[in-house]
Amino acid sequence: MPAALDTAQHLPPPALGMPTLSINHRGRVYLSHELARRLGLKPLQPIDLYPPRPGDKYWYLDLRPKAKRRINWYADTRPRIPHIVLPAGIVVAGQRLVLQLVPGEPEFPHYYPLQPDALPS
């Protein structure tokens, strides 16, 4: 009699999370664990997020020492950046905007481009 099929052997390995962050309508930015890992983020590290400038399609995550905000790191949730000021109407109540890290090295050190309309993490 043939051995029973072990379906666990035939499932693909779990995919790594995407390096994303999400922004809610209150301006709170939640960083995915994959983004934090990929960029080597630490608690209280300087950080800021900037919306696209006119004519630019990318948002920018600023990890330079002069960034004004700090990463808040809580045991029960993802790392986050509090109180980002968003352009009016960019995120409506009850929804969130998801941004994904653009692959490759950034043009400027510690100033990472992010593209909108990524899949939720």
Side-chain angles (χ1 to χ4, degrees):
M1 176 184 315
L5 178 64
D6 182 359
T7 57
Q9 290 180 357
H10 302 284
L11 294 176
L16 288 177
M18 298 297 290
T20 60
L21 58 80
S22 61
I23 309 165
N24 70 17
H25 73 280
R26 293 183 192 130
R28 285 196 184 130
V29 177
Y30 293 90
L31 308 162
S32 72
H33 291 295
E34 179 60 19
L35 181 67
R37 185 196 64 75
R38 182 138 340 147
L39 298 179
L41 303 179
K42 307 283 186 240
L44 300 178
Q45 174 175 338
I47 194 166
D48 221 329
L49 179 68
Y50 300 106
R53 287 168 267 175
D56 195 354
K57 64 181 177 179
Y58 296 123
W59 289 66
Y60 289 92
L61 186 64
D62 186 358
L63 301 180
R64 297 173 298 180
K66 70 177 193 168
K68 295 178 184 172
R69 292 175 175 76
R70 302 276 183 231
I71 296 175
N72 292 332
W73 214 288
Y74 302 100
D76 61 341
T77 187
R78 296 182 290 168
R80 73 179 186 205
I81 310 168
H83 312 296
I84 295 292
V85 178
L86 298 172
I90 203 151
V91 181
V92 297
Q95 294 184 351
R96 63 186 176 133
L97 175 64
V98 178
L99 305 173
Q100 182 177 347
L101 183 65
V102 173
E105 289 298 313
E107 183 177 355
F108 302 103
H110 309 292
Y111 198 71
Y112 296 89
L114 300 158
Q115 58 191 3
D117 302 322
L119 295 173
S121 59

